[in-house]
Amino acid sequence: MERLESIKDFKALQERIIADRDPQMPVLVIPAGTCGQASGANDLIRVAKRELLSAGLAERIRLRITGCHGFCQAEPSVLIEPEGTFYPKLGIKEMARVVEAVSRGQVLEDLLWRDSTTRKRIQRQSDIPFFRGQRRTLLSRHEKIDPIRAYDYIQNGGYSALVKVLEQGDARWVVDEVKASGLRGRGGAGFATGVKWDLLANMRNAAGKFLVCNADEGDPGAYMDRSVLEGNPHSIIEGMLIGAFGTGATQGIVYVRTEYPLAIKHLVIALRQARELGLMGKEILGTGFSFDIQIVRGAGAFVCGEETALIQSVEGHRGEPRQRPPYPVEKGIARKPTAINNVETWANIPIIINDGAAAFAQVGPPHNTGTKIFSLVGKVKNTGLVEVPMGITIGEIVHGVGGGPSGRAEIKAVQTGGPSGGCLPAAMFDLPVDYESLSAAGSIMGSGGMIVMDENTCMVDVAKYFMKFLKDESCGKCFSCRKGTQRMWEILDDITTGRGTMDQMDLLEELALVVKDTSMCGLGQTAANPVLSTLRYFRDEYVRHIQRKFCPATACRDLFVYRVIADKCTGCGLCVKVCPTGAITGPRKQLHSLDQSKCVKCRACYDVCRFDAIAGDAIIAVPAA
Amino acid sequence: MITLSMNGLPVTVEEGTTLLETARFFGFPVPTLCHADGLTPYGACRLCVVEIGEMARPKLVAACTYPAEQGLKVRTASSRVMRTRRMIIELLLASCPQSKVIQDLASAHDVRRQRFRQEHEDCILCGLCVRMCQEQMMANAIGFLGRGERRSVGTPFAGRSETCRLCGGCMYICPACQLRCTYNEPEKAICGGCTNLSPPCLEKQQFDDMMCYRTPCVACEIRKD
């Protein structure tokens, strides 16, 4: 790649690349992020390449391998441009057919996405309910860009925000623009990005300032940062360059988990390309502005996503938070002023500069502007990354974009904000998703995990699961967080195994409030949320576990047994077939019997009887004692 | 100089003073287990929490690490502070019931029972020994290992440290082991060795078996039987 010496050079290159593009040429877009590859995208790519070469189509049809588009449910999928035809869940054989159909300009009806309610086939990606309900400002760019090709990014308007900033030459304007956009930190706390930058810009430090991209995404069930890093690493680089210009920072760091090998690979390639093109490093585009970015790999501690712990980790110390003040913006890495922003925040910066702060601020309610990516997982039909404007209700996400419950059980709650977030009941699904509303309801925005739970999920068990995660991931520095999470888990364990008492439940609440109050960092301060929010909205489940020693969701194995109801059993034999341990016996057409000593409570018989057997509900869960 | 209000009393301190130092200077008792003059404030035990801020959103912070700020309103013994402090003492008592210091704290704060499952741990991981070793003894022989519930104090790879000079500073500073420094005669419970900086075990020849890294402190002599 040729080094670009001036802004003129860049514009010439951009014009040339755009002119080279033939918008009518069909493109096979195969999303191959970590998730896509895991579900078989690599096989599709291999087949597509072979078919294109053997049929001599390489000059007529392009192949673009991109990052994740967000629709995990449909992986591995193929998107055909320019029509936008979408083929979900393709196998190797179907892939060959798709290549052939594209070469003839046909659409394969039988492979298209089928809507689960109307049973109709939908051709275009943008018409599928999952995509229709979203506002994909960030994610839609993933479809256009091969992450390891810088030219792809430039062709789609990449680095033009940087050029705009360099042409303007006014650092103050950049900070004011970000401030006016109302962008708030996407890492979870929601601190106004413009204000943070303003603080950093006002710091006088001749020895340099740091900008950090926090990509230590550790929440179970959340992967939006990974997807952005994998799918569009140049947007992070561009965002950080703009930030550096605005704040006068001299050194950039991307702190990324080692567990994200593909994201690191794409980022390393993107950094090298940006350096070769003269878009990063010394004398960027000949303007005298210099900034360089390095990668620091995290060693796998959840708490290192907390900014003071992240700084310690970057410096090579144990990843432990320290009390603020001094804030990182005063004394951060190497005691120099440091601003830390989340991946998604950085990815939004080029959009704000390109489209203007006013356009960005129009999306979403005041003080909660822009779009936010959520990872919608759990018991919904359509799982995946969804990008929606702020202020949309939880119900719109779960039922609209998510398509409602995946099974026959009703949706009971949604857990937002990762392990430190809270569970909100279905009755509160008209709550708008913004920082303040979620916080008032006892949950947090967090980095944007959204786990949907149905009637088969036990809320006490959920609280116990998250508490286990937190007690293992607490750094252990604060006594209240270390011992508090251990003791909370202990009480929850007692309750889910039938040893709990009502006094313990009160103690649990008392302890949770103390842990929330006294812990040093964000992890401890929010560690009580899973307990407090479930106690607030699902107290009756706790009481049932303690007083009746019964878990109606059949999640706590010590608190129920399965029993065959003699009157109802028709002896259909389905349960005998599915039982993995041979606990259910009985000849056909006769009452089956269940041997409790062999039963491992796997729930297979219960489900099969409830939903598939003629009798229905002949197997029920009853309290153990 | 900085003027702030502490329990309603306007006080003036030098810049850079922590809230704990301010409180102690003006005679407000604030208990702490992880603080020692001459060592970097750490903020681990959370006993020294005080309430700062006004009506809208007052919050609790560790007094040992929070710097005095102009116009700050501090309450060292509000009902919220006392409630949380009692809970922390209860947690301490549940884990380290034999420590005299913790027993005294519990008694002073009227904590008469603990409602958790009883544990018998030795170390509260206050980090005083680690900081003593690093900052005053310049040895860096011990540090923290693991995280969460597996966190402990020890030497690198739990082996015998080559940099440890067996100075005994870690034992001297330990707030939880005062009662347990019993050499090998349990009946002489408080030997006083800790306070005169020459623990009896140091005069003994068997350094090989000595804890030094405080797992499990001098008590190891007793437990081996």
Side-chain angles (χ1 to χ4, degrees):
Chain A
M1 256 176 254
E2 201 181 327
R3 190 180 159 88
L4 305 168
E5 297 294 346
S6 66
I7 292 176
K8 223 173 95 194
D9 278 3
F10 174 82
K11 288 197 165 161
L13 172 74
Q14 192 175 30
E15 268 171 34
R16 204 181 72 222
I17 302 173
I18 293 174
D20 282 350
R21 177 172 61 181
D22 175 9
Q24 292 312 312
M25 188 190 257
V27 186
L28 298 172
V29 185
I30 305 182
T34 301
C35 42
Q37 294 192 5
S39 55
N42 282 338
D43 293 336
L44 294 193
I45 294 166
R46 214 172 302 132
V47 173
K49 276 183 182 166
R50 196 186 61 206
E51 292 293 315
L52 288 176
L53 289 174
S54 64
L57 293 167
E59 295 298 314
R60 288 212 296 121
I61 300 173
R62 307 265 305 262
L63 177 67
R64 190 191 300 139
I65 297 149
T66 69
C68 171
H69 298 179
F71 201 1
C72 303
Q73 191 80 36
E75 301 272 2
S77 62
V78 174
L79 174 70
I80 313 294
E81 282 181 1
E83 303 88 25
T85 311
F86 181 73
Y87 296 112
K89 292 193 178 171
L90 285 189
I92 297 173
K93 278 181 191 143
E94 286 102 24
M95 187 66 217
R97 282 179 59 206
V98 167
V99 174
E100 203 196 337
V102 171
S103 72
R104 293 195 193 138
Q106 293 168 337
V107 174
L108 296 170
E109 274 291 323
D110 58 318
L111 293 181
L112 292 175
W113 175 261
R114 198 212 303 251
D115 190 87
S116 57
T117 40
T118 59
R119 314 302 295 168
K120 274 193 187 139
R121 299 278 183 184
I122 300 173
Q123 184 196 345
R124 291 158 64 91
Q125 170 171 302
S126 50
D127 294 335
I128 295 170
F130 177 78
F131 291 102
R132 210 175 48 213
Q134 299 184 47
R135 191 188 175 103
R136 302 172 75 232
T137 316
L138 292 174
L139 288 176
S140 65
R141 298 196 298 177
H142 291 192
E143 293 156 15
K144 307 279 176 211
I145 296 162
D146 185 334
I148 58 169
R149 290 175 206 274
Y151 284 180
D152 264 20
Y153 184 63
I154 294 171
Q155 193 178 45
N156 286 285
Y159 289 110
S160 52
L162 173 68
V163 167
K164 189 176 175 184
V165 164
L166 290 175
E167 277 179 330
Q168 205 102 356
D170 184 2
R172 193 63 243 168
W173 176 78
V174 175
V175 176
D176 286 344
E177 196 72 359
V178 174
K179 244 186 189 174
S181 75
L183 174 66
R184 294 174 68 173
R186 296 295 193 244
F191 192 79
T193 308
V195 174
K196 196 187 268 181
W197 286 18
D198 202 11
L199 289 170
L200 186 70
N202 290 333
M203 280 287 165
R204 297 271 165 264
N205 193 322
K209 303 176 196 173
F210 279 93
L211 280 186
V212 178
C213 170
N214 184 352
D216 190 65
E217 183 181 44
D219 294 3
Y223 49 100
M224 58 290 283
D225 291 354
R226 189 196 73 205
S227 144
V228 172
L229 273 180
E230 283 175 4
N232 199 355
H234 280 284
S235 67
I236 310 296
I237 299 173
E238 190 182 3
M240 289 182 78
L241 285 164
I242 294 166
F245 188 85
T247 58
T250 49
Q251 177 72 53
I253 284 171
V254 180
Y255 186 87
V256 56
R257 321 176 69 197
T258 312
E259 291 95 323
Y260 285 177
L262 191 67
I264 293 174
K265 183 177 149 197
H266 286 181
L267 193 62
V268 167
I269 293 171
L271 286 173
R272 197 182 65 215
Q273 288 170 337
R275 237 174 250 133
E276 279 175 10
L277 280 168
L279 291 165
M280 194 178 79
K282 290 211 169 87
E283 294 282 324
I284 294 167
L285 295 178
T287 55
F289 162 57
S290 302
F291 184 70
D292 204 77
I293 300 172
Q294 286 175 334
I295 295 180
V296 175
R297 295 176 194 201
F302 175 67
V303 74
C304 285
E306 202 277 340
E307 56 179 11
T308 55
L310 185 147
I311 288 167
Q312 295 274 321
S313 177
V314 168
E315 288 174 347
H317 302 294
R318 276 178 69 84
E320 265 173 20
R322 61 162 174 76
Q323 176 112 32
R324 293 169 295 185
Y327 288 91
V329 80
E330 298 160 352
K331 277 180 188 160
I333 297 168
R335 303 187 77 69
K336 291 173 191 165
T338 304
I340 301 169
N341 285 121
N342 176 261
V343 171
E344 216 186 314
T345 317
W346 287 119
N348 270 306
I349 301 295
I351 293 172
I352 293 173
I353 299 295
N354 266 334
D355 302 349
F360 187 87
Q362 269 177 2
V363 180
H367 308 298
N368 282 284
T369 54
T371 57
K372 170 86 190 84
I373 308 179
F374 291 96
S375 62
L376 188 64
V377 296
K379 307 279 183 69
V380 275
K381 275 206 189 91
N382 308 324
T383 59
L385 292 179
V386 300
E387 186 176 355
V388 289
M390 290 271 212
I392 190 175
T393 64
I394 297 175
E396 280 174 89
I397 297 178
V398 173
H399 291 290
V401 180
S406 61
R408 277 174 244 201
E410 287 285 300
I411 289 177
K412 177 161 75 173
V414 61
Q415 208 271 356
T416 69
S420 333
C423 299
L424 302 171
M428 292 182 71
F429 275 13
D430 50 359
L431 190 81
V433 178
D434 60 57
Y435 293 99
E436 282 76 24
S437 309
L438 285 178
S439 176
S443 184
I444 56 168
M445 176 80 89
S447 58
M450 209 169 252
I451 303 170
V452 181
M453 299 157 186
D454 66 11
E455 295 291 344
N456 294 325
T457 318
C458 167
M459 300 317 279
V460 188
D461 192 50
V462 166
K464 181 177 138 185
Y465 167 80
F466 284 117
M467 204 46 75
K468 167 107 172 60
F469 179 86
L470 289 165
K471 105 183 147 83
D472 290 342
E473 289 298 337
S474 157
C475 77
K477 181 177 178 176
C478 285
F479 179 77
S480 58
C481 172
R482 184 184 70 240
K483 262 293 158 239
T485 51
Q486 280 176 40
R487 294 302 193 173
M488 280 194 275
W489 179 83
E490 202 174 279
I491 296 174
L492 288 168
D493 189 48
D494 276 353
I495 294 176
T496 54
T497 51
R499 283 170 290 163
T501 61
M502 290 305 278
D503 288 343
Q504 263 187 317
M505 195 172 87
D506 297 336
L507 179 64
L508 179 67
E509 195 163 14
E510 202 183 322
L511 175 63
L513 287 169
V514 168
V515 172
K516 190 183 177 126
D517 252 6
T518 56
S519 297
M520 183 189 294
C521 79
L523 190 150
Q525 283 162 10
T526 54
N529 281 350
V531 166
L532 288 174
S533 68
T534 47
L535 272 173
R536 180 165 157 190
Y537 298 117
F538 301 97
R539 188 175 278 269
D540 55 324
E541 285 197 29
Y542 279 84
V543 173
R544 223 173 304 160
H545 277 72
I546 294 167
Q547 290 184 337
R548 286 188 52 208
K549 309 261 179 243
F550 181 48
C551 175
T554 64
C556 309
R557 295 191 175 191
D558 295 323
L559 294 189
F560 69 92
V561 289
Y562 288 116
R563 190 164 294 161
V564 183
I565 302 178
D567 302 347
K568 275 196 165 180
C569 181
T570 56
C572 70
L574 277 176
C575 53
V576 180
K577 240 183 245 167
V578 296
C579 182
T581 56
I584 308 181
T585 47
R588 262 186 95 79
K589 308 268 181 202
Q590 278 177 45
L591 175 63
H592 297 331
S593 67
L594 202 162
D595 182 357
Q596 296 296 348
S597 64
K598 280 189 187 168
C599 180
V600 291
K601 297 176 185 173
C602 68
R603 206 191 148 88
C605 57
Y606 178 81
D607 281 342
V608 81
C609 188
R610 184 149 189 208
F611 297 126
D612 299 322
I614 314 154
D617 287 337
I619 294 177
I620 56 159
V622 292
Chain B
M1 298 297 266
I2 291 171
T3 306
L4 66 153
S5 145
M6 189 160 271
N7 296 340
L9 181 79
V11 297
T12 306
V13 291
E14 267 181 51
E15 200 168 336
T17 314
T18 64
L19 292 184
L20 182 69
E21 286 160 350
T22 312
R24 292 210 166 148
F25 186 80
F26 288 96
F28 297 114
V30 175
T32 168
L33 283 175
C34 73
H35 181 83
D37 291 336
L39 298 179
T40 325
Y42 193 56
C45 72
R46 313 313 285 178
L47 266 176
C48 67
V49 283
V50 293
E51 196 173 7
I52 60 165
E54 292 280 13
M55 304 280 274
R57 281 185 82 180
K59 58 175 184 176
L60 298 184
V61 294
C64 63
T65 51
Y66 204 89
E69 288 169 356
Q70 184 65 35
L72 197 68
K73 292 218 167 30
V74 186
R75 289 170 296 283
T76 63
S78 67
S79 61
R80 186 173 169 202
V81 169
M82 295 316 281
R83 197 174 61 235
T84 53
R85 209 172 268 168
R86 275 197 203 105
M87 177 53 91
I88 290 172
I89 293 171
E90 196 176 328
L91 282 170
L92 281 166
L93 208 55
S95 298
C96 312
Q98 284 125 332
S99 162
K100 172 120 174 36
V101 179
I102 291 168
Q103 287 169 6
D104 288 351
L105 267 175
S107 150
H109 286 81
D110 201 26
V111 179
R112 308 264 159 170
R113 57 173 184 157
Q114 69 84 11
R115 293 164 285 174
F116 301 97
R117 204 176 294 160
Q118 189 67 59
E119 288 174 351
H120 294 275
E121 289 177 2
D122 303 323
C123 183
I124 57 164
L125 298 172
C126 65
L128 276 174
C129 54
V130 174
R131 279 173 286 151
M132 184 74 167
C133 192
Q134 265 169 18
E135 295 168 12
Q136 293 295 335
M137 299 307 163
M138 311 294 171
N140 275 320
I142 51 174
F144 286 110
L145 317 170
R147 67 165 176 261
E149 57 181 344
R150 288 178 304 281
R151 185 182 170 100
S152 62
V153 173
T155 52
F157 306 106
R160 218 185 120 81
S161 171
E162 286 165 12
T163 49
C164 174
R165 299 192 298 270
L166 305 170
C167 67
C170 46
M171 283 178 286
Y172 163 71
I173 200 90
C174 180
C177 75
Q178 283 194 3
L179 187 71
R180 295 186 305 96
C181 272
T182 50
Y183 185 30
N184 50 4
E185 293 166 78
E187 58 272 18
K188 293 183 184 170
I190 302 173
C191 62
C194 299
T195 49
N196 61 23
L197 237 184
S198 55
C201 40
L202 276 185
E203 291 152 17
K204 218 174 148 229
Q205 290 303 306
Q206 293 169 320
F207 280 148
D208 295 351
D209 292 322
M210 208 187 72
M211 66 311 124
C212 260
Y213 336 115
R214 302 188 334 90
T215 48
C217 199
V218 190
C220 63
E221 292 285 339
I222 307 162
R223 284 200 192 155
K224 262 193 305 186
D225 310 329

